[in-house]
Coordinates of all heavy atoms in Angstrom, one line a residue:
E963 N 303.9 110.9 410.0 CA 305.0 110.4 409.0 C 304.3 110.0 407.8 O 305.0 109.9 406.7 CB 305.8 109.3 409.6 CG 306.8 109.7 410.7 CD 307.7 110.7 410.3 OE1 308.1 110.6 409.1 OE2 308.3 111.4 411.0
Q964 N 303.0 109.6 407.9 CA 302.3 109.2 406.7 C 302.2 110.2 405.6 O 301.9 109.9 404.5 CB 300.9 108.7 407.0 CG 301.0 107.2 407.6 CD 299.5 106.7 407.7 OE1 298.7 107.0 408.6 NE2 299.1 105.9 406.7
R965 N 302.5 111.4 405.9 CA 302.6 112.5 404.9 C 303.7 112.2 403.9 O 303.6 112.7 402.9 CB 302.8 113.9 405.5 CG 301.5 114.4 406.4 CD 301.6 115.8 406.7 NE 302.7 116.0 407.8 CZ 302.6 116.1 409.0 NH1 301.2 115.9 409.4 NH2 303.4 116.3 409.9
A966 N 304.7 111.4 404.4 CA 305.7 111.0 403.5 C 305.1 110.1 402.4 O 304.3 109.2 402.7 CB 306.9 110.3 404.1
P967 N 305.5 110.3 401.1 CA 304.8 109.5 400.0 C 304.7 108.0 400.1 O 303.8 107.3 399.9 CB 305.6 109.9 398.8 CG 306.3 111.1 399.2 CD 306.6 111.1 400.7
R968 N 305.8 107.5 400.8 CA 305.9 105.9 400.7 C 305.5 105.3 402.0 O 305.4 104.1 402.1 CB 307.3 105.5 400.3 CG 307.7 105.9 398.9 CD 307.7 105.0 397.8 NE 307.9 103.5 398.2 CZ 307.6 102.6 397.3 NH1 307.0 103.0 396.1 NH2 307.9 101.4 397.5
F969 N 305.4 106.2 403.0 CA 305.1 105.3 404.3 C 303.7 105.1 404.6 O 302.8 106.0 404.6 CB 305.6 106.2 405.5 CG 305.5 105.6 406.8 CD1 306.3 104.5 407.2 CD2 304.4 105.8 407.6 CE1 306.1 103.7 408.3 CE2 304.3 105.3 408.8 CZ 305.0 104.2 409.2
V970 N 303.4 103.8 404.8 CA 302.0 103.3 405.2 C 302.2 102.5 406.3 O 302.8 101.5 406.4 CB 301.4 102.6 403.9 CG1 300.0 102.1 404.3 CG2 301.3 103.5 402.7
V971 N 301.2 102.7 407.4 CA 301.1 101.8 408.6 C 300.5 100.4 408.1 O 299.5 100.5 407.4 CB 300.3 102.4 409.7 CG1 300.1 101.4 410.8 CG2 300.9 103.7 410.1
E972 N 301.1 99.4 408.5 CA 300.6 98.1 408.0 C 299.2 97.8 408.6 O 299.0 97.9 409.7 CB 301.6 97.0 408.5 CG 301.3 95.6 408.2 CD 302.3 94.6 408.8 OE1 302.9 94.9 409.7 OE2 302.4 93.6 408.3
P973 N 298.2 97.5 407.7 CA 296.9 97.3 408.3 C 296.8 95.9 409.1 O 297.4 95.0 408.6 CB 296.1 97.1 407.0 CG 296.9 97.7 405.8 CD 298.2 97.4 406.3
A974 N 295.9 95.8 410.0 CA 295.8 94.6 410.8 C 295.4 93.4 410.1 O 295.8 92.2 410.2 CB 294.7 94.8 412.0
D975 N 294.4 93.7 409.1 CA 294.0 92.4 408.3 C 295.0 91.9 407.4 O 295.1 90.7 407.2 CB 292.7 92.8 407.5 CG 292.9 94.0 406.6 OD1 293.9 94.7 406.7 OD2 292.1 94.1 405.6
Q976 N 295.8 92.8 406.9 CA 297.0 92.4 406.0 C 298.0 91.5 406.9 O 298.5 90.6 406.4 CB 297.6 93.4 405.4 CG 298.9 93.3 404.6 CD 299.5 94.5 404.0 OE1 298.9 95.0 403.0 NE2 300.5 94.9 404.5
R977 N 298.3 91.9 408.1 CA 299.1 91.2 409.0 C 298.5 89.9 409.2 O 299.3 88.9 409.4 CB 299.3 92.0 410.2 CG 300.0 91.2 411.4 CD 301.4 91.0 411.2 NE 302.1 90.1 412.2 CZ 303.3 90.0 412.3 NH1 304.1 90.5 411.4 NH2 303.7 89.1 413.2
R978 N 297.2 89.7 409.5 CA 296.6 88.5 409.7 C 296.7 87.5 408.6 O 297.1 86.3 408.8 CB 295.1 88.5 410.1 CG 294.9 89.1 411.6 CD 293.5 89.0 411.9 NE 292.7 90.0 411.2 CZ 292.3 91.1 411.4 NH1 292.8 91.7 412.6 NH2 291.6 91.9 410.7
V979 N 296.5 88.0 407.4 CA 296.7 87.2 406.2 C 298.1 86.7 406.0 O 298.4 85.4 405.7 CB 296.2 88.0 405.0 CG1 296.5 87.1 403.7 CG2 294.7 88.2 405.1
T980 N 299.1 87.6 406.3 CA 300.5 87.1 406.2 C 300.9 86.2 407.3 O 301.5 85.2 407.0 CB 301.4 88.5 406.4 OG1 300.9 89.5 405.6 CG2 302.7 88.0 406.1
D981 N 300.3 86.2 408.4 CA 300.5 85.2 409.4 C 300.0 83.9 409.1 O 300.7 82.8 409.3 CB 300.1 85.7 410.8 CG 300.9 86.7 411.6 OD1 302.0 86.9 411.1 OD2 300.4 87.5 412.3
R982 N 298.8 84.0 408.6 CA 298.2 82.6 408.0 C 299.0 81.9 407.0 O 299.3 80.8 406.9 CB 296.8 82.9 407.6 CG 295.8 83.2 408.7 CD 294.4 83.7 408.1 NE 293.9 82.6 407.2 CZ 293.1 83.0 406.3 NH1 292.5 84.4 406.2 NH2 292.4 82.1 405.5
F983 N 299.5 82.8 406.0 CA 300.3 82.3 405.0 C 301.7 81.8 405.5 O 302.1 80.6 405.1 CB 300.7 83.6 404.0 CG 301.6 83.3 402.9 CD1 301.1 82.9 401.6 CD2 303.0 83.5 403.2 CE1 302.1 82.6 400.6 CE2 303.8 83.2 402.0 CZ 303.4 82.6 400.9
I984 N 302.3 82.4 406.3 CA 303.6 82.0 406.9 C 303.4 80.7 407.8 O 304.1 79.8 407.7 CB 304.2 83.1 407.8 CG1 304.8 84.2 406.9 CG2 305.3 82.5 408.7 CD1 305.3 85.4 407.6
D985 N 302.4 80.7 408.7 CA 302.1 79.5 409.5 C 301.9 78.3 408.5 O 302.2 77.2 409.0 CB 300.9 79.7 410.4 CG 301.2 80.6 411.6 OD1 302.5 80.9 411.8 OD2 300.3 81.3 412.1
A986 N 301.0 78.4 407.5 CA 300.7 77.3 406.5 C 301.9 76.7 406.0 O 302.2 75.5 405.9 CB 299.8 77.7 405.5
C987 N 302.8 77.7 405.5 CA 304.1 77.2 404.8 C 304.9 76.5 405.9 O 305.5 75.5 405.6 CB 304.9 78.4 404.3 SG 304.0 79.1 402.7

């Protein structure tokens, strides 16, 4: 599906940063 222009699988490191952001807030 990544052949579709806008679809990107969420990177694991991005997910970790987002979790840290959410937990801190």
Side-chain angles (χ1 to χ4, degrees):
E963 292 293 338
Q964 280 190 278
R965 288 194 292 268
R968 300 261 323 168
F969 181 75
V970 179
V971 177
E972 182 183 21
D975 58 340
Q976 180 174 284
R977 169 74 190 184
R978 285 192 291 270
V979 172
T980 307
D981 281 346
R982 288 168 56 202
F983 175 91
I984 288 176
D985 287 342
C987 289

